[in-house]
Amino acid sequence: MKCQSILLSILMLTVLSACQSDSGSRAMGTVERDRIRLSATASEQITFVNVHDGQTVQKGELLLQLDTRSANALVSQRKAELVQAKAALSELIAGTRPEQLSAALAALEASQADSKEAELKYQRSAKLYKSNVIGTADLDAAKAKRDSSHAKAKQAYDQWLELKNGARKEDIEQASARVKAAQAALVWQEQARKDLAIKAPINGIIDTIPWHVGDRVSSGTQLVSLISSSQPYARVYLPATARTKIHIGDTVSVFADGIKTPFQGRVRNIRSQPAYTPFYALNERDRARLMYLTDIDLEHADQLPTGLAVEVHLP
């Protein structure tokens, strides 16, 4: 009886050891494809939904449309600002109109005549003051009138000269810079309006689109989840015991549930960090339980559905 118990214990240990060895020689995971999440580019209301869950779409196809009324108003504003900036620049480049220059010249001649008359009155007043005909107050008034007339004539001359010479190079450069800024603002606003039309960036299948016409979303809210129709890959958890046996570029056999023939795969990437508890928090025995996410490109596996369970036989 005792011998039978010993034999039974040995048999159970052998079976457990075989199971552990078998499970340690496989990496489990699922079939995956690239997933793209499209978000709202602005806080607007949804005005049009063109797809539904599970629908196949092509690159560039319209999926969902956000309200463009606010964006249209901003585009019109940017266009008006650009027109205004261009007009200001054209005015500086064209220079002074002949009518303005003629009016400034006439004002200059009038002020020069007043200045000459004021100078003559001052000279007469100075002679009369020396003859004691007028007092000091009258002389000071004549002098003030002369100085004021001279200043006005100088001001009129400077204004006429400014109009004659036209705009400075620096003023034209500043106006040109304002035109470029207005053009850039218009391009940015037009692109922002264009981004309100949510389109498929790749060929794929709509995974989820939980929104409806009339829903108001905030900027950055996920609107559509799109699964790429490109070549699938297997994402498996590689045991730490096999980490040194599998390398990037190695060819492995991948078995999918329900399919007897394995698929050939090439290891694309192995994460450098374990997926679970950090190794420095574990002892030597527990470190064997660490798993490393590994991506394996599959060949001739386009028919495999996303999410299908797979396993990789390890050396």
Coordinates of all heavy atoms in Angstrom, one line a residue, residues 26-32 233-237 253-257 259 263 296 298 304-305 307-313:
R26 N 5.1 27.5 -24.8 CA 4.1 28.2 -25.7 C 3.9 29.6 -25.3 O 3.9 29.9 -24.1 CB 2.8 27.4 -25.7 CG 2.9 26.0 -26.2 CD 1.6 25.3 -26.3 NE 1.7 23.9 -26.8 CZ 0.7 23.1 -27.1 NH1 -0.6 23.6 -27.0 NH2 0.9 21.9 -27.5
A27 N 3.6 30.4 -26.2 CA 3.2 31.8 -26.0 C 1.8 32.1 -26.5 O 1.5 31.8 -27.6 CB 4.2 32.8 -26.7
M28 N 1.0 32.6 -25.6 CA -0.4 32.7 -26.0 C -0.7 34.2 -26.3 O -0.1 35.1 -25.8 CB -1.3 32.3 -24.8 CG -0.9 30.9 -24.2 SD -1.0 29.6 -25.4 CE -2.7 29.5 -25.6
G29 N -1.7 34.4 -27.2 CA -2.0 35.8 -27.6 C -3.2 35.8 -28.5 O -4.0 34.9 -28.5
T30 N -3.4 36.9 -29.3 CA -4.5 37.1 -30.2 C -4.0 37.7 -31.5 O -3.0 38.3 -31.6 CB -5.6 38.0 -29.5 OG1 -4.9 39.2 -29.2 CG2 -6.2 37.4 -28.3
V31 N -4.9 37.5 -32.5 CA -4.6 38.2 -33.8 C -5.0 39.7 -33.6 O -6.1 40.0 -33.1 CB -5.5 37.5 -34.9 CG1 -5.3 38.3 -36.2 CG2 -5.0 36.1 -35.1
E32 N -4.2 40.6 -34.1 CA -4.4 42.0 -34.0 C -4.2 42.7 -35.3 O -3.5 42.2 -36.2 CB -3.5 42.6 -32.9 CG -3.7 42.1 -31.5 CD -5.0 42.5 -30.9 OE1 -5.6 43.5 -31.4 OE2 -5.4 41.8 -29.9
Y233 N -1.3 40.7 -37.5 CA -0.1 40.3 -36.7 C -0.6 39.6 -35.4 O -1.7 39.9 -35.0 CB 0.9 41.4 -36.5 CG 0.4 42.5 -35.6 CD1 0.5 42.5 -34.3 CD2 -0.3 43.6 -36.2 CE1 0.0 43.6 -33.5 CE2 -0.8 44.6 -35.5 CZ -0.6 44.6 -34.1 OH -1.1 45.7 -33.4
A234 N 0.2 38.8 -34.9 CA -0.1 38.1 -33.6 C 0.6 38.9 -32.5 O 1.8 39.1 -32.6 CB 0.3 36.7 -33.6
R235 N -0.1 39.2 -31.4 CA 0.5 39.8 -30.2 C 0.4 38.8 -29.1 O -0.7 38.5 -28.7 CB -0.3 41.1 -29.9 CG 0.2 41.7 -28.6 CD -0.2 43.2 -28.5 NE 0.5 44.0 -29.4 CZ 0.3 45.3 -29.5 NH1 -0.7 45.9 -28.9 NH2 1.1 46.0 -30.4
V236 N 1.5 38.3 -28.7 CA 1.5 37.2 -27.7 C 2.4 37.6 -26.5 O 3.1 38.6 -26.6 CB 2.1 35.9 -28.3 CG1 1.3 35.4 -29.5 CG2 3.6 36.1 -28.7
Y237 N 2.2 36.9 -25.4 CA 2.9 37.1 -24.2 C 4.0 36.1 -24.1 O 3.8 34.9 -24.0 CB 2.0 37.0 -23.0 CG 1.1 38.2 -22.8 CD1 -0.1 38.2 -23.4 CD2 1.5 39.3 -22.1 CE1 -1.0 39.3 -23.3 CE2 0.6 40.4 -22.0 CZ -0.6 40.4 -22.6 OH -1.4 41.5 -22.5
S253 N 6.2 29.3 -35.8 CA 4.9 28.8 -36.3 C 3.8 29.3 -35.3 O 4.0 29.2 -34.1 CB 4.9 27.3 -36.3 OG 5.9 26.8 -37.2
V254 N 2.7 29.8 -35.9 CA 1.6 30.4 -35.1 C 0.4 29.5 -35.4 O 0.0 29.4 -36.5 CB 1.4 31.8 -35.5 CG1 0.3 32.4 -34.6 CG2 2.7 32.6 -35.2
F255 N -0.2 29.0 -34.3 CA -1.4 28.2 -34.5 C -2.6 29.0 -34.0 O -2.6 29.6 -33.0 CB -1.3 26.9 -33.6 CG -0.2 25.9 -34.0 CD1 1.1 26.1 -33.7 CD2 -0.6 24.9 -34.8 CE1 2.1 25.2 -34.1 CE2 0.4 24.0 -35.3 CZ 1.7 24.2 -34.9
A256 N -3.7 29.0 -34.9 CA -4.9 29.7 -34.6 C -6.0 28.7 -34.2 O -6.0 27.6 -34.8 CB -5.3 30.5 -35.8
D257 N -6.9 29.1 -33.3 CA -8.0 28.2 -32.9 C -8.8 27.9 -34.1 O -9.2 28.8 -34.9 CB -8.8 28.9 -31.9 CG -8.1 28.9 -30.5 OD1 -7.0 28.3 -30.4 OD2 -8.7 29.5 -29.6
I259 N -8.0 26.1 -36.8 CA -7.3 25.9 -38.0 C -6.1 25.0 -37.7 O -5.3 25.3 -36.8 CB -6.8 27.3 -38.6 CG1 -8.0 28.2 -38.9 CG2 -6.0 27.0 -39.9 CD1 -7.6 29.5 -39.4
F263 N 0.4 29.0 -39.2 CA 0.8 30.1 -40.1 C 2.3 30.5 -39.7 O 2.7 30.4 -38.6 CB 0.0 31.3 -39.8 CG -1.5 31.2 -40.2 CD1 -2.4 30.6 -39.4 CD2 -1.9 31.5 -41.5 CE1 -3.7 30.5 -39.7 CE2 -3.2 31.4 -41.9 CZ -4.1 30.8 -41.0
I296 N 4.3 39.6 -33.8 CA 4.7 38.7 -34.9 C 3.9 38.9 -36.1 O 2.7 38.7 -36.1 CB 4.6 37.2 -34.4 CG1 5.3 36.9 -33.1 CG2 5.0 36.2 -35.5 CD1 5.1 35.6 -32.5
L298 N 2.3 38.0 -39.5 CA 1.8 36.7 -40.1 C 1.8 36.8 -41.6 O 1.4 37.8 -42.2 CB 0.4 36.4 -39.5 CG 0.2 36.3 -38.0 CD1 -1.2 36.1 -37.6 CD2 1.1 35.2 -37.5
L304 N -7.9 35.8 -41.2 CA -8.0 35.6 -39.8 C -8.7 36.8 -39.2 O -8.4 37.9 -39.5 CB -6.7 35.4 -39.1 CG -5.9 34.1 -39.4 CD1 -4.6 34.1 -38.7 CD2 -6.8 32.9 -39.1
P305 N -9.8 36.6 -38.4 CA -10.5 37.7 -37.7 C -9.7 38.3 -36.6 O -8.9 37.6 -35.9 CB -11.8 37.1 -37.2 CG -11.4 35.6 -37.0 CD -10.4 35.3 -38.0
G307 N -8.8 39.5 -33.0 CA -9.2 39.0 -31.7 C -9.1 37.5 -31.6 O -9.3 37.0 -30.5
L308 N -8.9 36.8 -32.7 CA -8.8 35.3 -32.6 C -7.6 34.9 -31.8 O -6.5 35.4 -31.9 CB -8.7 34.7 -34.0 CG -8.7 33.2 -34.1 CD1 -10.0 32.6 -33.7 CD2 -8.3 32.8 -35.5
A309 N -7.9 33.9 -30.9 CA -6.8 33.4 -30.0 C -5.8 32.6 -30.8 O -6.1 31.8 -31.7 CB -7.4 32.5 -28.9
V310 N -4.5 32.8 -30.5 CA -3.4 32.1 -31.2 C -2.4 31.7 -30.1 O -2.4 32.2 -29.0 CB -2.7 32.9 -32.3 CG1 -3.7 33.2 -33.4 CG2 -2.2 34.2 -31.7
E311 N -1.6 30.7 -30.5 CA -0.5 30.3 -29.7 C 0.8 30.0 -30.5 O 0.6 29.6 -31.7 CB -0.8 29.1 -28.8 CG -1.1 27.8 -29.6 CD -1.4 26.7 -28.7 OE1 -2.1 26.9 -27.7 OE2 -0.9 25.6 -29.0
V312 N 1.9 30.3 -30.0 CA 3.2 30.1 -30.7 C 4.0 29.1 -30.0 O 4.2 29.1 -28.7 CB 4.0 31.5 -30.7 CG1 5.3 31.2 -31.4 CG2 3.2 32.5 -31.4
H313 N 4.4 28.1 -30.7 CA 5.2 27.0 -30.1 C 6.7 27.5 -30.1 O 7.3 27.9 -31.1 CB 5.1 25.7 -31.0 CG 3.8 25.1 -30.9 ND1 3.5 23.8 -31.4 CD2 2.6 25.5 -30.3 CE1 2.3 23.5 -31.1 NE2 1.7 24.5 -30.5

